[in-house]
Every structure is written in C-alpha cells, then in structure tokens.
Amino acid sequence: SAVISQKPSRDICQRGTSLTIQCQVDSQVTMMFWYRQQPGQSLTLIATANQGSEATYESGFVIDKFPISRPNLTFSTLTVSNMSPEDSSIYLCSVEGAGGPRTGELFFGEGSRLTVL
Amino acid sequence: AQSVTQPDIHITVSEGASLELRCNYSYGATPYLFWYVQSPGQGLQLLLKYFSGDTLVQGIKGFEAEFKRSQSSFNLRKPSVHWSDAAEYFCAARSGGYNKLIFGAGTRLAVHP
C-alpha cells in the first residue's frame, strides 16, 4: 500500500483566510483524489487530480473555492479559499493502490483537520 | 443514481460478542465493494474488498464480509469483537477503476467491556 503524508495534520484558521494542504505519496501515482469529511459525516469527493491536467471537480465544488495543484506524480495540494466556519472539516488525500485503476481500491492519508473560527 | 446505504448509524456490542454491520448498494452492475475503518483521529484503513469470485472475503483484524448479489448487500462480520474495534466503519463502492469511490454514511461501533 502507498504511504501518504498530509500537512498540516490540523489547523485553526480565521474566517476569510485561505489554507493550503499538502499531500505527498511515497510512489508515483496517476490519479490523486481529495475528499472532505464534515463533522459527523461520511466522505465526499471534492475532485480528482491527474498530473499535467486540470483537476476534475464534483458537483457542488468549484475551482475558485478549492484550487488544486498537481505538479508531479507524487505530490498535490488543495487550497481551501476564503474560509468560513462551514469549511471546518477533515480533508483527506487519497491514491489508488499499486495495481492502479484495475484494483479499484484507494488508500488514504490521515487527513488534515481544519477548524475555521 | 449510484448509492451506498448503511442502515445503522450506531451499534453497541459487548466485548467478545459477534458483530454484523450492514451495507447495501444500488448500482446498475455489481461494483467493486470495500469496507474501511476510521479510528478516532485517524485516517481510513482498508479492511477488505470484493471484486469478483468467492463471495466470502477475508480481511485484516479478523473481519470478513459476504457479498450477496440477490440482496445487493455486502455485510461486514466479526465473530468476536475486541475493545480496540471501536471505530467508525464505512462501506464503499466503485463501479470501475476509473470511477469515483462512493461511501456510505458510516456506522459508529461502540464496544462495552
């Protein structure tokens, strides 16, 4: 399984500011995924990030609010822009297993817990 | 629309008792099926997965799950629960390797001594 490191692990932010979350993987992967887990809720996919192309956003999520970078095959960032208390969530980075899309399984980082005051 | 349903939000069992967590899916064809566990303050860990073949799959930590096509179900079981199994359990499905993973709402498991 892939080892996924996220930074920061947690942060407290002020309303109106932006925060960038980093995701580093110990192996090259084609697709990286960003999920949001609101308090007491399940996981919702924000976007899929492929290296060298624009991220693909799910319904309800827009690039202006959640810009994503994918500069190489082991790294991605998610920025939460102009934060409000409703953005308080755990944000998780995810990648596919070593077998790629054929295996279907995803592995997750430990998440970045953001609290917006 | 594709969906995953976990009917039980909270389950409490006594340590040593058996456990079954329910999961139903709604897809046009049988998807890939997964169970993940999230311990407090932790990320998600994959417990087991089903792609095809044997309908009873074994996972880590003594868990198993049974796929039943006729019921569109993929229930998670463990014969004897340990206190360390207290966590949130998520069932998830993916219709193919290039499609998104959809999660159920999760079941929070509490274990009494």
Side-chain angles (χ1 to χ4, degrees):
Chain A
S1 63
V3 177
I4 305 168
S5 301
Q6 282 188 236
K7 292 181 180 180
S9 59
R10 59 177 63 233
D11 207 340
I12 299 174
C13 308
Q14 296 299 316
R15 182 194 301 257
T17 63
S18 299
L19 183 79
T20 296
I21 301 167
Q22 299 178 1
C23 178
Q24 179 75 53
V25 189
D26 68 341
S27 58
Q28 294 185 341
V29 294
T30 302
M31 300 169 74
M32 297 179 76
F33 307 87
W34 286 98
Y35 282 82
R36 181 176 72 181
Q37 185 179 20
Q38 294 178 299
Q41 303 295 314
S42 185
L43 284 80
T44 301
L45 180 64
I46 297 171
T48 302
N50 290 339
Q51 193 268 336
S53 63
E54 292 286 330
T56 302
Y57 288 82
E58 295 296 308
S59 176
F61 298 96
V62 296
I63 188 171
D64 290 346
K65 176 67 175 178
F66 298 101
I68 290 171
S69 76
R70 183 78 203 276
N72 58 53
L73 291 173
T74 63
F75 187 78
S76 178
T77 66
L78 169 75
T79 299
V80 186
S81 302
N82 188 25
M83 287 185 285
S84 67
E86 292 70 36
D87 294 318
S88 298
S89 297
I90 301 173
Y91 294 86
L92 297 106
C93 173
S94 174
V95 303
E96 294 185 302
R102 180 176 55 84
T103 67
E105 65 198 36
L106 298 187
F107 294 96
F108 288 81
E110 294 193 349
S112 298
R113 182 182 294 269
L114 302 188
T115 301
V116 184
L117 303 179
Chain B
Q2 298 170 337
S3 65
V4 177
T5 302
Q6 293 180 248
D8 305 305
I9 298 174
H10 295 281
I11 284 184
T12 300
V13 299
S14 299
E15 190 169 18
S18 63
L19 172 70
E20 182 169 28
L21 303 182
R22 296 183 291 166
C23 173
N24 293 96
Y25 63 89
S26 176
Y27 275 73
T30 300
Y32 299 159
L33 294 161
F34 309 87
W35 276 99
Y36 287 86
V37 60
Q38 186 179 38
S39 299
Q42 302 292 312
L44 273 75
Q45 182 179 24
L46 180 66
L47 285 176
L48 47 78
K49 59 188 178 184
Y50 172 79
F51 294 154
S52 63
D54 193 347
T55 56
L56 185 64
V57 294
Q58 303 296 321
I60 62 173
K61 304 185 179 186
F63 285 92
E64 65 179 26
E66 184 172 14
F67 168 69
K68 292 185 177 180
R69 184 189 306 274
S70 62
Q71 299 178 17
S72 297
S73 69
F74 188 56
N75 294 348
L76 182 72
R77 300 195 295 243
K78 187 170 185 178
S80 178
V81 171
H82 188 263
W83 64 266
S84 61
D85 293 324
E88 185 98 24
Y89 290 81
F90 292 97
C91 182
R94 196 177 188 192
S95 61
Y98 293 96
N99 296 299
K100 67 179 180 181
L101 187 64
I102 295 176
F103 285 84
T107 298
R108 183 170 298 277
L109 174 67
V111 180
H112 280 182

